[in-house]
Amino acid sequence: MSLKVLTILGIIANMIAVLPVAEAQTTSLATCLPEFDWMNDSRNQSPCVVAAYMQGACTNGEYIVQPLAPSYHYIGPTVKQDNPCQCSTVVYSLMSACGMCQNRTIEGWSAWQTNCSVVYTQQFPESIPFGINVPGWAYLDVVTKDTFSAAAAKADICK
Ligand SMILES: *[C@@H]1O[C@H](CO)[C@@H](O)[C@H](O)[C@H]1NC(C)=O
Ligand SMILES: *[C@@H]1O[C@H](CO)[C@@H](O)[C@H](O)[C@H]1NC(C)=O
Ligand SMILES: *[C@@H]1O[C@H](CO)[C@@H](O)[C@H](O)[C@H]1NC(C)=O
């Protein structure tokens, strides 16, 4: 083989080796209790996984949902993080479900959106990422009662 061919093969081999590193990481390290299985999407993924993908839509597909320690809850974006995905009630609902399914508490929508310059009520500002099916309950109203409601979400599935 000529040196040129070897060089090209070398470049291709490098590209293949680099690919997994460049691949976006959108995942959840949090695990849900089995009694919250009903919160899974139709691909059998927990709300924490769905929430990770949705938040990754604003951060180049990179987002890891960390588990919550006892007596902690997820909070909305900081001023610096202020990004449209996290300022959507859809993400708030999914992250609330993710907190609840770990047997943790949640915060109200008004607290969550404190640092948001623009909020997206019952809508999501980006294209839905591939790999998830967002449950319908994530689009329910959380503004009126200022909270995500697991009861309302469950009722929405059964309707
Ligand atoms: C729900 O999702 C979790 C985590 O993705 C999975 O371990 C579990 O088997 C799922 N349950 C059902 C009923 O799909
Ligand atoms: C808003 O952002 C500040 C810092 O930028 C942070 O300390 C605070 O926790 C945020 N508020 C909420 C409700 O997330
Ligand atoms: C859920 O949390 C409550 C209160 O923190 C605790 O008493 C209970 O044991 C927890 N349940 C599970 C299944 O972890």
Side-chain angles (χ1 to χ4, degrees):
M1 264 187 273
S2 74
L3 185 61
K4 208 170 180 181
V5 171
L6 280 178
T7 308
I8 290 167
L9 285 178
I11 290 168
I12 292 169
N14 270 334
M15 281 165 66
I16 292 166
V18 164
L19 266 179
V21 181
E23 199 177 312
Q25 262 237 318
T26 315
T27 185
S28 162
L29 301 175
T31 36
C32 294
L33 296 168
E35 68 210 72
F36 294 96
D37 271 357
W38 62 267
M39 288 179 167
N40 284 5
D41 74 355
S42 57
R43 301 182 186 213
N44 293 339
Q45 300 172 117
S46 79
C48 305
V49 172
V50 178
Y53 274 81
M54 291 291 266
Q55 288 170 102
C58 286
T59 53
N60 292 317
E62 301 265 338
Y63 201 92
I64 297 172
V65 172
Q66 298 292 340
L68 281 176
S71 77
Y72 279 80
H73 62 256
Y74 293 116
I75 57 165
T78 61
V79 173
K80 218 179 103 201
Q81 283 167 336
D82 171 17
N83 80 53
C85 293
Q86 290 183 338
C87 293
S88 154
T89 60
V90 180
V91 165
Y92 163 75
S93 295
L94 289 164
M95 286 301 282
S96 298
C98 176
M100 278 186 178
C101 77
Q102 297 170 71
N103 196 30
R104 305 292 180 248
T105 56
I106 63 168
E107 71 176 3
W109 164 248
S110 55
W112 178 278
Q113 56 82 254
T114 317
N115 290 325
C116 294
S117 44
V118 179
V119 298
Y120 297 86
T121 304
Q122 293 178 267
Q123 53 180 313
F124 188 65
E126 294 292 324
S127 303
I128 304 296
F130 291 109
I132 52 168
N133 291 331
V134 185
W137 52 255
Y139 288 87
L140 292 175
D141 167 45
V142 294
V143 178
T144 308
K145 292 186 173 157
D146 192 32
T147 189
F148 167 75
S149 160
K154 206 167 189 174
D156 188 68
I157 293 173
C158 299
K159 85 175 184 230

